[in-house]
Amino acid sequence: MPSQQVEFQFITGLKRTLFRNARLRGSWDENGGYSDNWTDVPMVEEIGPDGCPIFTVPVTLDLADRDKIFKWGVILDGPQGASFWGIPTEVHDPNSTARYRQFQLSNSGGAPQVERYYFTYGRRLGANKHFSPQSATPGLRFGVWAPNAKNVEVVFGNLDNGYIADDGAGIDPAQPMVALSRLPDGIWEGGPHGDYENFKSLPYMYRIQNAQGQTVYRTDIFSRSQIGKGSVDPIENPWDEKVDTLDGTVSCSVVIDPDVVRRGFESAPEGIEPDLIAAEKFWATEFTSGLPIPTRLEDLIIYELHVGSLGFGKNDIGTLSDAMAFLDHLVDLGVNAVELLPLAEFKGDAAWGYGDTHHTCIESSAGGRDKYRHFVRECHRRGIAVIQDVVYNHYDGKAARAEWQYDSTAHEQNIYYWYEGHPNDYPDYERAAQDPSKPSNERPAPEHGGYLDNGSSGYTPRFWEEVVRQQFISSAAFLIEEMHVDGLRVDLTQAIHRDNVRHADGHSVGSANLFGQKLLREWSRTLRMIKPTVMLIAEDHTEWDAVTKTPAQGGLGFDSKWETAFCHNLIGDSPSALGKARLLKNAGFGGNDPLQMDWFSGVLYNSRNNQVVFHESHDEAGNAHDKEKNIYTERTIITAVNGAALLGDTRTWAEARSRLCFGFSVLSAGIPMFFMGEEIGAQKRYTFDKFKDNREDILGERHGNGSALFRFYQDIITLSRRLRSIRSHNIDILHVHNANRVLAFKRWNEDEEVIIAASLNNTAFTDGYLIEKDLSAIPNARWKEIFNSDAAIYGGQNTGNYGASLCSDQGRLNVQIPANGLVVFVKQ
């Protein structure tokens, strides 16, 4: 019987040995014939050409079944447990969640047929080391996805400016061009080329002959570093031809060794080689004995930090150097997690980072990958977990040398963007786009009708392409594995899984939603296989419960999601808060009208459902905009007094209400988060376009006007971290009164019980306030006041119970509640 030998390879693409005891499982019998009863075969572990562990095994299959579609996968032992399915990638069918690889036999004339599965693409695409038995040192190998290209070459730039123009100017003639060869899957590879060490730190670009025969220069989408550190795009603006001013999204990519780290945080002086150490040695001193990193979301107090908004007193944008210097402040504050706004390479330097292009890069202007690793290590040494904000719903709007038209100008071949049909499928849209009544600069490009909008600030990525999904998955694996990040927060996930519509007519594209869901399931599965304790947070404004279910339960695999309803009901100065309680917004007018405390009590109760809750985030701290009234959101302390000047008693009122708002968040059953500067009463709007001009000296204000508020944040954070009841999901609403503006609730964990009584009333209840419910909620006991937001040390009036122990009787507890404040009691 004629047969075909097939070599199966499971390629991890990860340097560390994570998996073991691999077994191939495929749809054939012991004789090599096709079978619906799958057969297991042990695999051999070895180090692959990429320097990472791979598992291989040859199997002889019957060529009589060459018309059959064979299926296969791998069973592994690893961090997730024993004998788990090792293929997180789903089949191409949008309606199927099945996970296997498939192939047909090809009579290759005696040569073995090779079937590969890449767990991650981090060492497949980009500029990578390549190890071969013929050489003691690794060579350099390139890989790039360009399925529509007619030819691909690698050209090198000059270190002094790091830019290759569209006409080829800037190519270093001393470095020979590298020709790449096309593989059947549209990936172009080439190498090894000489000693890898000789290419380290060299700038390069791909010279592509696109589908139309034009020569274009493109960055490496899987680049580990972009040489540009500034904001100038030479195509758009004059440029001084210096790396420090060049925008990283259009600059050359850089050959970087991912397995070494600069020993010191600061870069070596010009002309001196940096002192590099192995990554394993660098991370060997990552932790401090007795100071563990939190691994449960329930234990986190999250500080949302924009690195660019640091650097107080400087003219430049904040960097990771400033973030390192800021860590002592976070330790003093008591937070145990920092959530960083996106730091993947993005357009310009004065930006949020939500329009990124190179997901395995750390923004050069912020300091780059090595400084990022030093920052993460210093966080861990201080017991602070690092959560990184990432963006998968769109690319930068001007990704002209990155994703946009990478290898073809035909829109249906724009490989990183989802395009429906052909440009001539949308004649009505084309006519509207050419409307002469509108200025030419306001008319949309008529041929853009087939792209997908999703509610984000760019077109939808082409999620049906496995390589596009791997761009996001492998970059997340890079952050978790190489950068040692503890968790990820994914920007606007509903844009990925629900909101995809055609640009021309707003028609929903269900297949894009389904492939978006496929991406998120594959992403969460992969990360759990690498690090089961990874904390995954979705910014999701839907009520879909599948977001926080596991893929095995039909979910997307997140642990938690942002809950904006909490902020909109509590603060309420956003246009999105219409129809919500808007407690602080309404209290800020200074009257004593009833407030919808009952509406807020509902979202407070729902905080038990794996929610990240906040009174202020980067979105709500000055960016939400009522276009009709031209009103923007404000910082909490400004909303608290309806924009009045913070002088004398007005600041006293503002701080009291601000304290109460954070108290609701940190004492809720959710995972509390707050935006930088809230702890000192930051007043200036944090806006995406003017954050540099609106920076406030957080470190200075901590010892000045914000000192009392900072002390409050310190103490209530310490309280919440000390009490097991506060870090549980258990919550019960005990009392709500809209006219009195009072809300009381209970938290507990096993035998520890806590009652919080809070009021937004402008008058204190000095004669006592009766909280009444059943005995199961308020058992007969002594309750000691252990915290009062109105204490004099916080700038309050010292109204409360003075640390007294009060007795509850038959479900009734009578307490004094300060004006615009809260008190906390623990059962004795």
Side-chain angles (χ1 to χ4, degrees):
M1 256 322 208
S3 60
Q4 173 66 52
Q5 188 177 73
V6 181
E7 180 177 323
F8 293 90
Q9 300 179 357
F10 180 88
I11 302 169
T12 66
L14 300 172
K15 186 74 172 179
R16 189 163 58 105
T17 300
L18 287 172
F19 308 123
R20 61 191 183 277
N21 191 26
R23 288 89 74 198
L24 173 70
R25 177 171 291 177
S27 59
W28 53 80
D29 59 25
E30 294 180 355
N31 298 317
Y34 180 87
S35 174
D36 290 327
N37 296 317
W38 292 26
T39 298
D40 287 6
V41 183
M43 303 183 80
V44 175
E45 181 179 353
E46 54 192 59
I47 299 300
D50 61 358
C52 301
I54 67 171
F55 299 90
T56 66
V57 67
V59 175
T60 300
L61 299 179
D62 193 340
L63 272 174
D65 292 323
R66 70 176 65 187
D67 60 329
K68 298 293 180 68
I69 297 177
F70 286 86
K71 301 173 184 176
W72 66 283
V74 176
I75 305 292
L76 299 166
D77 298 346
Q80 202 172 34
S83 298
F84 61 86
W85 189 244
I87 309 292
T89 308
E90 298 178 3
V91 297
H92 188 66
D93 182 353
N95 295 300
S96 175
T97 60
R99 294 178 286 137
Y100 54 79
R101 310 308 281 178
Q102 59 186 30
F103 66 96
Q104 286 184 280
L105 292 174
S106 59
N107 191 347
S108 54
Q113 179 176 334
V114 180
E115 296 295 327
R116 298 184 177 94
Y117 174 69
Y118 291 86
F119 181 66
T120 64
Y121 278 35
R123 306 271 176 145
R124 183 186 190 192
L125 299 183
N128 292 292
K129 297 177 185 176
H130 185 275
F131 297 83
S132 66
Q134 293 76 33
S135 175
T137 58
L140 174 64
R141 188 175 187 85
F142 290 96
V144 59
W145 183 53
N148 301 302
K150 294 182 178 180
N151 190 56
V152 181
E153 300 164 334
V154 181
V155 292
F156 294 90
N158 293 293
L159 280 168
D160 55 353
N161 67 15
Y163 185 74
I164 298 174
D166 287 342
D167 61 2
I171 294 176
D172 184 356
Q175 293 291 341
M177 171 272 297
V178 177
L180 306 186
S181 301
R182 191 187 193 281
L183 301 178
D185 59 1
I187 289 175
W188 295 71
E189 289 186 349
H193 298 281
D195 192 330
Y196 185 87
E197 289 294 318
N198 295 333
F199 290 91
K200 274 178 29 177
S201 302
L202 288 185
Y204 68 95
M205 292 194 83
Y206 293 115
R207 181 164 62 193
I208 296 175
Q209 184 182 15
N210 68 13
Q212 291 71 35
Q214 302 162 331
T215 297
V216 296
Y217 292 87
R218 296 290 183 256
T219 61
D220 188 344
I221 302 302
F222 278 74
S223 161
R224 293 189 176 92
S225 177
Q226 294 296 111
I227 196 170
K229 298 179 181 179
S231 59
V232 177
D233 182 344
I235 296 176
E236 299 178 350
N237 296 293
W239 175 49
D240 61 7
E241 298 194 5
K242 294 181 180 178
V243 169
D244 287 344
T245 57
L246 178 64
D247 190 285
T249 66
V250 300
S251 73
C252 288
S253 305
V254 183
V255 179
I256 292 292
D257 186 347
D259 302 322
V260 296
V261 186
R262 282 183 171 87
R263 184 187 300 272
F265 178 78
E266 297 300 335
S267 302
E270 189 173 347
I272 298 178
E273 287 293 317
D275 183 12
L276 302 176
I277 60 174
E280 292 86 351
K281 185 175 181 180
F282 174 82
W283 293 114
T285 56
E286 181 179 3
F287 302 109
T288 300
S289 178
L291 193 58
I293 306 302
T295 58
R296 300 190 325 149
L297 275 165
E298 298 93 318
D299 295 328
L300 300 187
I301 309 289
I302 305 173
Y303 190 93
E304 192 184 20
L305 177 66
H306 179 217
V307 171
S309 292
L310 295 173
F312 318 122
K314 300 192 311 183
N315 290 325
D316 297 329
I317 298 299
T319 68
L320 286 164
S321 296
D322 300 307
M324 286 278 278
F326 196 64
L327 285 179
D328 287 342
H329 173 78
L330 298 184
V331 171
D332 290 345
L333 184 58
V335 297
N336 60 3
V338 58
E339 180 179 319
L340 299 173
L341 266 62
L343 278 172
E345 191 72 39
F346 52 77
K347 190 77 171 175
D349 54 7
W352 270 5
Y354 286 94
D356 43 16
T357 54
H358 299 78
H359 291 76
T360 49
C361 280
I362 301 299
E363 169 64 30
S364 302
S365 64
R369 63 187 290 125
D370 276 359
K371 288 191 175 182
Y372 186 90
R373 286 196 273 198
H374 275 275
F375 175 79
V376 172
R377 187 177 69 171
E378 289 306 313
C379 285
H380 287 175
R381 286 173 170 176
R382 290 163 166 80
I384 298 174
V386 178
I387 298 170
Q388 181 60 64
D389 207 340
V390 292
V391 185
Y392 306 145
N393 51 55
H394 70 284
Y395 301 111
D396 179 79
K398 294 184 177 180
R401 299 191 123 212
E403 287 85 4
W404 184 256
Q405 296 185 345
Y406 198 80
D407 62 0
S408 175
T409 59
H411 294 284
E412 59 269 36
Q413 292 181 323
N414 202 351
I415 57 174
Y416 284 99
Y417 296 81
W418 193 298
Y419 192 88
E420 285 281 294
H422 301 273
N424 59 9
D425 292 339
Y426 310 101
D428 293 339
Y429 174 76
E430 289 190 29
R431 283 192 292 271
Q434 296 166 352
D435 185 354
S437 66
K438 294 183 177 180
S440 59
N441 62 345
E442 294 183 7
R443 299 177 201 163
E447 68 274 12
H448 282 207
Y451 289 105
L452 303 192
D453 300 317
N454 58 24
S456 71
S457 55
Y459 292 142
T460 299
R462 207 175 187 179
F463 296 133
W464 64 266
E465 292 278 10
E466 188 172 319
V467 178
V468 173
R469 301 200 303 275
Q470 271 291 347
Q471 177 191 19
F472 302 129
I473 293 166
S474 296
S475 64
F478 147 76
L479 287 169
I480 299 301
E481 184 65 12
E482 293 187 25
M483 300 292 105
H484 287 214
V485 164
D486 304 286
L488 300 171
R489 178 265 191 189
V490 182
D491 183 65
L492 202 61
T493 49
Q494 69 203 52
I496 299 172
H497 69 73
R498 189 195 71 175
D499 294 343
N500 294 289
V501 297
R502 279 198 305 244
H503 186 66
D505 54 17
H507 186 274
S508 179
V509 180
S511 58
N513 294 332
L514 292 173
F515 272 105
Q517 295 167 26
K518 192 179 290 289
L519 160 68
L520 296 174
R521 288 193 298 268
E522 293 175 352
W523 177 85
S524 62
R525 282 195 199 100
T526 302
L527 297 182
R528 300 276 185 224
M529 288 174 66
I530 297 171
K531 185 175 183 176
T533 60
V534 64
M535 294 175 280
L536 305 179
I537 303 169
E539 183 202 8
D540 201 278
H541 307 308
T542 70
E543 299 300 323
W544 192 27
D545 62 357
V547 174
T548 52
K549 290 181 177 178
T550 67
Q553 297 170 316
L556 302 181
F558 288 93
D559 299 296
S560 180
K561 65 178 184 176
W562 272 26
E563 184 45 73
T564 55
F566 190 95
C567 175
H568 292 160
N569 277 277
L570 179 58
I571 306 297
D573 63 337
S574 168
S576 301
L578 293 176
K580 301 295 192 295
R582 312 182 80 175
L583 297 184
L584 187 67
K585 177 69 174 175
N586 290 325
F589 290 104
N592 284 302
D593 295 336
L595 297 177
Q596 298 296 159
M597 306 298 289
D598 55 342
W599 292 4
F600 176 66
S601 71
V603 295
L604 177 65
Y605 182 71
N606 288 336
S607 67
R608 75 195 194 283
N609 297 324
N610 299 312
Q611 295 177 353
V612 173
V613 299
F614 49 88
H615 68 289
E616 203 72 270
S617 72
H618 70 276
D619 282 322
E620 306 292 341
N623 293 283
H625 183 204
D626 186 330
K627 294 182 179 179
E628 291 184 3
K629 298 180 181 178
N630 196 29
I631 297 175
Y632 287 84
T633 48
E634 302 282 359
R635 297 304 291 256
T636 304
I637 201 168
I638 300 299
T639 303
V641 287
N642 197 30
L646 297 179
L647 301 173
D649 288 345
T650 302
R651 182 168 186 121
T652 300
W653 288 108
E655 289 201 15
R657 292 172 184 148
S658 297
R659 294 193 298 268
L660 179 57
C661 287
F662 181 57
F664 273 130
S665 174
V666 78
L667 300 175
S668 75
I671 300 100
M673 183 194 80
F674 61 99
F675 188 60
M676 61 187 298
E678 285 295 303
E679 71 275 20
I680 51 88
Q683 301 173 39
K684 295 181 181 179
R685 290 184 197 138
Y686 168 80
T687 57
F688 73 93
D689 55 347
K690 295 181 180 178
F691 61 81
K692 178 182 174 184
D693 298 331
N694 288 346
R695 280 186 293 197
E696 297 183 56
D697 185 359
I698 295 174
L699 299 180
E701 285 293 295
R702 166 185 167 179
H703 300 289
N705 291 330
S707 61
L709 191 57
F710 180 79
R711 174 65 184 272
F712 167 79
Y713 268 73
Q714 280 184 311
D715 288 355
I716 199 168
I717 287 171
T718 299
L719 178 75
S720 70
R721 291 182 60 180
R722 177 168 58 86
L723 295 174
R724 292 175 289 109
S725 52
I726 302 301
R727 303 282 29 98
S728 75
H729 289 303
N730 300 322
I731 186 169
D732 186 17
I733 305 300
L734 302 179
H735 175 86
V736 182
H737 199 293
N738 292 345
N740 289 339
R741 300 178 167 195
V742 172
L743 170 59
F745 57 102
K746 177 183 170 182
R747 306 294 315 284
W748 71 92
N749 185 59
E750 297 177 347
D751 61 343
E752 182 183 275
E753 298 182 35
V754 170
I755 288 177
I756 299 101
S759 169
L760 267 168
N761 201 301
N762 293 317
T763 302
F765 294 96
T766 55
D767 294 331
Y769 191 96
L770 185 63
I771 301 169
E772 185 174 7
K773 208 172 181 184
D774 54 70
L775 265 172
S776 62
I778 307 177
N780 293 336
R782 296 181 67 83
W783 299 84
K784 181 176 176 59
E785 183 189 63
I786 58 171
F787 190 84
N788 181 353
S789 72
D790 196 50
I793 56 172
Y794 310 138
Q797 305 304 306
N798 232 18
T799 302
N801 303 273
Y802 305 101
S805 292
L806 308 178
C807 292
S808 56
D809 180 46
Q810 299 302 308
R812 292 186 293 271
L813 181 65
N814 195 7
V815 302
Q816 294 188 51
I817 309 176
N820 295 292
L822 62 82
V823 285
V824 181
F825 298 87
V826 65
K827 189 179 76 171
Q828 294 183 293

